[in-house]
Every structure is written in C-alpha cells, then in structure tokens.
Amino acid sequence: MIVSGGGTGGHIFPAIAVAQELKRKVADVDILFVGALGKMEMEKVPKEGFEIKGLWISGLQRSLTIKNLLFPVKLIWSLIKAYSIINKFKPDVVASFGGYASGPIGQIAAWKHIPLILQEQNSYPGITNKILASKAKKICVAYDGMEKFFEKDKIVYTGNPVRKNIAEPIENINSSFRYFDMAQNKKTVLIFGGSLGARALNDAVKANIETILGSGNDVQVIWQVGKLYYDEIIKSDIANHENVKILPFIDRMDLAYSIADLVVARAGALTISELSLCGKAAILAPSPNVAEDHQTENALNLVEKNAALMIKDSELNENLGTLINSTIGNSDLLKSLENNILKLGRKNASEDIANILISVS
C-alpha cells in the first residue's frame, strides 16, 4: 500500500495511525509513504518506522510569487516521480490523507486503475481531496453532511484516525509528570497551536502568562510553541518561569494529555478527535486562516453540545488569561466538558479505514 499525506500533523498522524493498524492486521503488509520534500512528514514518518519518498511539490500561493511560477514545473516533475514510484512499488491500493503530495500520487494511481481511497479530516475538504474525489472508490469522512462535496455512495462515516497511544489510557500517571518535569500537585494547562505552532495563540499566551500563573489556582503550563517560534520564545523572560515548560514540538502527546486538566488549542480536526478520545476539557481558538473558516465550524459543533468552550482569534490577547482562570478554577465545569466531549469520540476509526483498504486491495 502507498500512503500519501502531509504538510501538517492533521494529515500526517491520521495516515500513520491507519498504517500502524494495517501492520497489526496484515503481518506481511508492505507500506510506503509519499510526502512533500521539506515538509514535516519527511521527519515524522521515519520516526514511526515507515519508509517515505519525497515529491518536489507545493501549493499555489494566493499572490503572484516566484513559487507560483515554479508550480507547473514542480507538478510535472512530481507526476513523473509519482509514476516511477508506483511502477516500482506496484501498490494494490493507494490511500490519500490530503496535502500537496497526495495530488500527483493519487492522479497516477487513478490513471493506472489502482484503487484509491481518500480520508478527509475536516468539515470542509481540502483542495487535493476535492480534485481526487471523482477518481476514488471510497471517501472516509469525520463529519455529517459531506455529500455537499462528495458523491453520497462513496462516503463512509469513520471518524478521524488517532494514533494508538493517544487513545490508550496511561497506566502510570507519575511517569507523565516526570517526562515533562512537572509538579503533580498543580493544575496543568496544555497549550498548543497545531503541529507547526500558531503566532496569534503564542502572542496571546505571552500577553496573558502573568494572569494565568498568578490566578491563585496553582497552575503550571506545558506550551508547544512550534519550531518556527521556539528560538524567539525560549529567549524571552517567560522561559525563566519555573511553572512553564516551553517546547518546540511534543512527540508524546499521550503523556501530555494524560496530565492536562485543561487544553487550549486550535480547532483542527485531528486535535478535536484526540480531545474527544481522551475526554479533555478544552478552550478552542479556531484559526481564521483556513478554507471556508472550517475550524470555527469544528469548534461550534462542540460548543453546541456543551463539549468545549470557544474564544475568537480577535479576542485572544484580551480575554485568554481570564477565560483560562475561570475554567481551570471551576471543577464542575471541567467535569461537564470532559464528560460531554468523551461522548463524541470514535475509537475505531483507524480499524474501520484499514478494513476498507484491505477490502479493495
């Protein structure tokens, strides 16, 4: 099987989760990942023990740039490379999880009549999956109403795949506290802006950190700032706070979730799926810089079920600290949010998608 997807953790980690499930189900399965050169999948996928090939591909920019002038060249090169990869590897099935590299590899699979399965994480599909939809045999989705975008007969409601270790309970919670060098007698707020970080959320945390730590709630913070912002923030005064752990990326999100009393995050599909499986109280700050503002739709879906709180991007700097304090200090609210979001989790998404891939191969 060829698995393609990347650019962000929202595409990469669901793909890894399904690949891991396939290895559990089929002892002699041969899995090859295809990603975009220079993107985070080229680092994350090998860490999970899978081989990956890279395509020289990127998306179109909204403004006229030299990158846009190179796009046709990159696309032709990537199609030729994808053709070579498929000819050599001879996959029985190709799975696209979205991202730039999925376009060329999915297109070549369709031309060669190799079964193509799509997995769409969001309530509004990415451009690659929309382009490939007509060529796919099945499209696995996580939200209702996706027949607005895809043929109804192709849609399978599976939910979003989540890495196995995220969904499994941590047996020794003490080891999680030791991993992050955090105190066990404090309330823990986990803050992250997605796998690449988020400037607006980071700026709001910087502006509100004294309010959060000085609330009287005896709070400590685990803060994933993203690689792009790590050097800047680690040199700031915030790094001197003993109750703040600043990290560029969290490899062991299972351990981070296990000790978090409250999570503050963007509202990407993967994040929401992980929060649902872990049953974590959350304040969601949807990114406004995504197609059709789909993160706000994701967040409102939870807010309407009293399964999460939401704060607008424009209100982060002014209100984030106050909202964190009022939430972390209210044990009844935390418990209610935990119980309600837990009801929304779909534990078998990886297995269901793996079964579909096996059935068409």
Side-chain angles (χ1 to χ4, degrees):
M1 184 183 79
I2 283 180
V3 178
S4 186
T8 68
H11 296 308
I12 297 164
F13 296 125
I16 289 172
V18 171
Q20 289 171 335
E21 185 62 36
L22 276 163
K23 287 186 75 172
R24 279 186 283 272
K25 285 180 167 292
V26 184
D28 59 348
V29 66
D30 195 0
I31 299 172
L32 176 66
F33 277 74
V34 176
L37 290 171
K39 297 297 182 181
M40 67 182 294
E41 58 264 30
M42 302 308 292
E43 174 192 350
K44 300 302 176 186
V45 169
K47 276 189 176 181
E48 299 294 335
F50 294 102
E51 182 185 0
I52 185 167
K53 302 283 187 183
L55 302 181
W56 184 44
I57 189 70
S58 60
L60 281 166
Q61 308 297 308
R62 292 184 181 180
S63 57
L64 183 62
T65 67
I66 191 69
K67 288 184 178 179
N68 277 351
L69 296 177
L70 279 173
F71 178 77
V73 178
K74 289 183 176 182
L75 180 59
I76 293 168
W77 186 94
S78 293
L79 285 166
I80 294 169
K81 180 71 172 178
Y83 187 87
S84 173
I85 289 170
I86 283 182
N87 265 5
K88 184 175 180 180
F89 191 71
K90 295 181 172 57
D92 298 296
V93 60
V94 170
S96 164
F97 288 79
Y100 304 135
S102 295
I105 208 77
Q107 183 62 66
I108 297 298
W111 283 343
K112 293 180 72 66
H113 304 292
I114 296 166
L116 175 64
I117 303 298
L118 308 186
Q119 199 270 323
E120 177 53 56
Q121 298 92 33
N122 290 294
S123 56
Y124 187 87
I127 188 168
T128 303
N129 277 349
K130 283 202 285 188
I131 291 170
L132 293 175
S134 64
K135 306 166 180 66
K137 290 184 74 70
K138 293 291 181 183
I139 304 170
C140 303
V141 303
Y143 288 88
D144 295 326
M146 297 302 284
E147 60 272 9
K148 289 182 293 186
F149 310 105
F150 303 131
E151 292 176 45
K152 187 175 181 180
D153 292 345
K154 292 184 177 182
I155 294 172
V156 184
Y157 182 72
T158 60
N160 280 323
V162 172
R163 288 164 289 174
K164 198 75 172 177
N165 64 344
I166 297 286
E168 293 174 344
I170 301 296
E171 292 183 9
N172 183 4
I173 196 74
N174 296 338
S175 65
S176 299
F177 283 104
R178 286 196 300 271
Y179 181 87
F180 292 102
D181 192 25
M182 305 300 275
Q184 296 188 38
N185 60 345
K186 294 180 183 291
K187 293 179 179 178
T188 304
V189 180
L190 170 62
I191 303 174
F192 60 94
S195 54
L196 301 177
R199 166 65 73 183
L201 189 54
N202 285 344
D203 287 346
V205 175
K206 285 192 287 185
N208 286 269
I209 195 68
E210 300 297 343
T211 302
I212 296 166
L213 297 177
S215 65
N217 288 319
D218 207 10
V219 167
Q220 59 190 356
V221 175
I222 300 174
W223 182 15
Q224 176 185 291
V225 299
K227 282 186 177 180
L228 295 176
Y229 310 108
Y230 180 72
D231 288 343
E232 167 198 335
I233 294 173
I234 201 67
K235 293 173 185 174
S236 69
D237 291 340
I238 299 175
N240 298 324
H241 280 286
E242 62 177 345
N243 291 324
V244 180
K245 175 69 87 175
I246 299 170
L247 299 166
F249 186 81
I250 300 174
D251 286 306
R252 293 299 305 272
M253 281 300 292
D254 56 325
L255 302 184
Y257 283 133
S258 72
I259 61 175
D261 296 288
L262 177 65
V263 177
V264 180
R266 290 305 202 185
L270 178 61
T271 295
I272 287 177
S273 294
E274 291 180 349
L275 293 171
S276 301
L277 284 178
C278 296
K280 287 295 160 181
I283 296 171
L284 300 175
S287 170
N289 307 311
V290 294
E292 299 295 311
D293 199 21
H294 68 252
Q295 284 203 9
T296 297
E297 287 188 38
N298 292 350
L300 287 173
N301 188 46
L302 269 65
V303 171
E304 289 164 2
K305 298 176 175 67
N306 297 315
L309 304 178
M310 188 180 92
I311 182 170
K312 292 181 180 178
D313 207 62
S314 59
E315 299 172 353
L316 279 170
N317 272 13
E318 185 176 352
N319 297 327
L320 181 62
T322 304
L323 183 57
I324 288 174
N325 291 344
S326 63
T327 307
I328 198 78
N330 187 335
S331 57
D332 289 339
L333 175 58
L334 288 174
K335 183 57 66 177
S336 174
L337 292 172
E338 290 168 357
N339 289 338
N340 290 337
I341 199 169
L342 192 60
K343 296 172 186 174
L344 305 178
R346 292 183 67 90
K347 293 183 178 180
N348 299 322
S350 298
E351 183 176 4
D352 292 345
I353 295 169
N355 286 336
I356 290 169
L357 289 167
I358 292 167
S359 71
V360 302
S361 62

